[in-house]
mmCIF file of all heavy atoms in Angstrom:
data_model
loop_
_atom_site.group_PDB
_atom_site.id
_atom_site.type_symbol
_atom_site.label_atom_id
_atom_site.label_comp_id
_atom_site.label_asym_id
_atom_site.label_seq_id
_atom_site.Cartn_x
_atom_site.Cartn_y
_atom_site.Cartn_z
ATOM 1 N N CYS H 371 -3.719 136.386 96.566
ATOM 2 C CA CYS H 371 -2.502 137.193 96.415
ATOM 3 C C CYS H 371 -2.377 137.592 94.953
ATOM 4 O O CYS H 371 -3.085 137.048 94.079
ATOM 5 C CB CYS H 371 -1.291 136.292 96.804
ATOM 6 S SG CYS H 371 -1.092 134.818 95.853
ATOM 7 N N THR H 372 -1.544 138.600 94.735
ATOM 8 C CA THR H 372 -1.139 139.042 93.439
ATOM 9 C C THR H 372 0.390 139.142 93.449
ATOM 10 O O THR H 372 1.027 139.434 94.426
ATOM 11 C CB THR H 372 -1.753 140.347 93.072
ATOM 12 O OG1 THR H 372 -1.408 141.320 94.057
ATOM 13 C CG2 THR H 372 -3.303 140.310 93.025
ATOM 14 N N PRO H 373 1.044 139.012 92.226
ATOM 15 C CA PRO H 373 2.512 139.118 92.243
ATOM 16 C C PRO H 373 2.912 140.486 92.697
ATOM 17 O O PRO H 373 2.256 141.514 92.554
ATOM 18 C CB PRO H 373 2.764 139.010 90.743
ATOM 19 C CG PRO H 373 1.725 138.102 90.195
ATOM 20 C CD PRO H 373 0.530 138.629 90.944
ATOM 21 N N PRO H 374 4.001 140.592 93.538
ATOM 22 C CA PRO H 374 4.914 139.457 93.816
ATOM 23 C C PRO H 374 4.256 138.429 94.818
ATOM 24 O O PRO H 374 3.679 138.833 95.802
ATOM 25 C CB PRO H 374 6.073 140.095 94.373
ATOM 26 C CG PRO H 374 5.615 141.469 94.904
ATOM 27 C CD PRO H 374 4.541 141.833 94.114
ATOM 28 N N ILE H 375 4.579 137.166 94.585
ATOM 29 C CA ILE H 375 3.960 136.134 95.408
ATOM 30 C C ILE H 375 4.756 135.736 96.580
ATOM 31 O O ILE H 375 4.325 135.206 97.547
ATOM 32 C CB ILE H 375 3.844 134.901 94.510
ATOM 33 C CG1 ILE H 375 3.128 135.132 93.203
ATOM 34 C CG2 ILE H 375 3.155 133.719 95.222
ATOM 35 C CD1 ILE H 375 1.649 135.542 93.391
ATOM 36 N N SER H 376 5.965 136.258 96.558
ATOM 37 C CA SER H 376 6.888 135.830 97.749
ATOM 38 C C SER H 376 6.433 136.095 99.108
ATOM 39 O O SER H 376 6.630 135.308 100.061
ATOM 40 C CB SER H 376 8.362 136.476 97.529
ATOM 41 O OG SER H 376 8.125 137.879 97.435
ATOM 42 N N ARG H 377 5.800 137.302 99.246
ATOM 43 C CA ARG H 377 5.280 137.672 100.548
ATOM 44 C C ARG H 377 4.202 136.688 101.125
ATOM 45 O O ARG H 377 4.215 136.242 102.209
ATOM 46 C CB ARG H 377 4.671 139.020 100.586
ATOM 47 C CG ARG H 377 4.111 139.505 101.962
ATOM 48 C CD ARG H 377 3.526 140.858 101.829
ATOM 49 N NE ARG H 377 4.614 141.834 101.556
ATOM 50 C CZ ARG H 377 5.259 142.510 102.585
ATOM 51 N NH1 ARG H 377 4.997 142.164 103.856
ATOM 52 N NH2 ARG H 377 6.106 143.395 102.279
ATOM 53 N N GLN H 378 3.269 136.305 100.212
ATOM 54 C CA GLN H 378 2.194 135.375 100.634
ATOM 55 C C GLN H 378 2.720 133.954 100.830
ATOM 56 O O GLN H 378 2.239 133.314 101.763
ATOM 57 C CB GLN H 378 1.116 135.307 99.610
ATOM 58 C CG GLN H 378 0.138 136.519 99.693
ATOM 59 C CD GLN H 378 0.688 137.784 99.105
ATOM 60 O OE1 GLN H 378 1.688 137.739 98.327
ATOM 61 N NE2 GLN H 378 0.043 138.973 99.331
ATOM 62 N N CYS H 379 3.750 133.604 100.066
ATOM 63 C CA CYS H 379 4.393 132.261 100.389
ATOM 64 C C CYS H 379 4.978 132.319 101.781
ATOM 65 O O CYS H 379 4.957 131.324 102.545
ATOM 66 C CB CYS H 379 5.487 132.010 99.299
ATOM 67 S SG CYS H 379 4.845 131.491 97.684
ATOM 68 N N GLY H 380 5.550 133.417 102.108
ATOM 69 C CA GLY H 380 6.107 133.597 103.521
ATOM 70 C C GLY H 380 5.080 133.558 104.548
ATOM 71 O O GLY H 380 5.233 132.929 105.619
ATOM 72 N N TYR H 381 3.902 134.092 104.219
ATOM 73 C CA TYR H 381 2.754 134.064 105.066
ATOM 74 C C TYR H 381 2.313 132.570 105.428
ATOM 75 O O TYR H 381 1.974 132.160 106.493
ATOM 76 C CB TYR H 381 1.514 134.892 104.679
ATOM 77 C CG TYR H 381 1.718 136.411 104.786
ATOM 78 C CD1 TYR H 381 0.854 137.235 104.192
ATOM 79 C CD2 TYR H 381 2.881 136.922 105.444
ATOM 80 C CE1 TYR H 381 1.058 138.618 104.328
ATOM 81 C CE2 TYR H 381 3.066 138.232 105.504
ATOM 82 C CZ TYR H 381 2.092 139.172 104.894
ATOM 83 O OH TYR H 381 2.273 140.458 104.990
ATOM 84 N N VAL H 382 2.308 131.780 104.329
ATOM 85 C CA VAL H 382 1.933 130.372 104.436
ATOM 86 C C VAL H 382 2.888 129.683 105.385
ATOM 87 O O VAL H 382 2.533 128.908 106.194
ATOM 88 C CB VAL H 382 1.925 129.719 103.006
ATOM 89 C CG1 VAL H 382 1.673 128.138 103.114
ATOM 90 C CG2 VAL H 382 0.791 130.313 102.213
ATOM 91 N N ALA H 383 4.219 129.973 105.221
ATOM 92 C CA ALA H 383 5.190 129.356 106.051
ATOM 93 C C ALA H 383 5.031 129.766 107.475
ATOM 94 O O ALA H 383 5.201 129.017 108.426
ATOM 95 C CB ALA H 383 6.635 129.675 105.531
ATOM 96 N N ALA H 384 4.671 131.041 107.687
ATOM 97 C CA ALA H 384 4.544 131.621 109.015
ATOM 98 C C ALA H 384 3.338 130.869 109.682
ATOM 99 O O ALA H 384 3.360 130.537 110.895
ATOM 100 C CB ALA H 384 4.291 133.088 108.926
ATOM 101 N N LEU H 385 2.139 130.747 109.010
ATOM 102 C CA LEU H 385 1.020 130.137 109.523
ATOM 103 C C LEU H 385 1.326 128.710 109.823
ATOM 104 O O LEU H 385 0.777 128.102 110.858
ATOM 105 C CB LEU H 385 -0.096 130.280 108.623
ATOM 106 C CG LEU H 385 -0.733 131.609 108.506
ATOM 107 C CD1 LEU H 385 -1.702 131.717 107.278
ATOM 108 C CD2 LEU H 385 -1.533 132.021 109.839
ATOM 109 N N ALA H 386 2.020 128.012 109.057
ATOM 110 C CA ALA H 386 2.442 126.672 109.255
ATOM 111 C C ALA H 386 3.265 126.512 110.623
ATOM 112 O O ALA H 386 3.060 125.584 111.477
ATOM 113 C CB ALA H 386 3.222 126.015 108.171
ATOM 114 N N ALA H 387 4.184 127.424 110.810
ATOM 115 C CA ALA H 387 5.095 127.411 111.982
ATOM 116 C C ALA H 387 4.283 127.715 113.251
ATOM 117 O O ALA H 387 4.387 127.146 114.314
ATOM 118 C CB ALA H 387 6.228 128.396 111.857
ATOM 119 N N MET H 388 3.336 128.719 113.115
ATOM 120 C CA MET H 388 2.466 129.133 114.241
ATOM 121 C C MET H 388 1.466 128.076 114.692
ATOM 122 O O MET H 388 1.056 128.065 115.887
ATOM 123 C CB MET H 388 1.771 130.481 113.849
ATOM 124 C CG MET H 388 2.705 131.566 113.711
ATOM 125 S SD MET H 388 1.967 133.111 112.894
ATOM 126 C CE MET H 388 0.531 133.297 113.812
#
Side-chain angles (χ1 to χ4, degrees):
C371 60
T372 56
I375 306 296
S376 56
R377 178 182 294 272
Q378 280 77 13
C379 286
Y381 286 172
V382 171
L385 287 168
M388 290 163 57

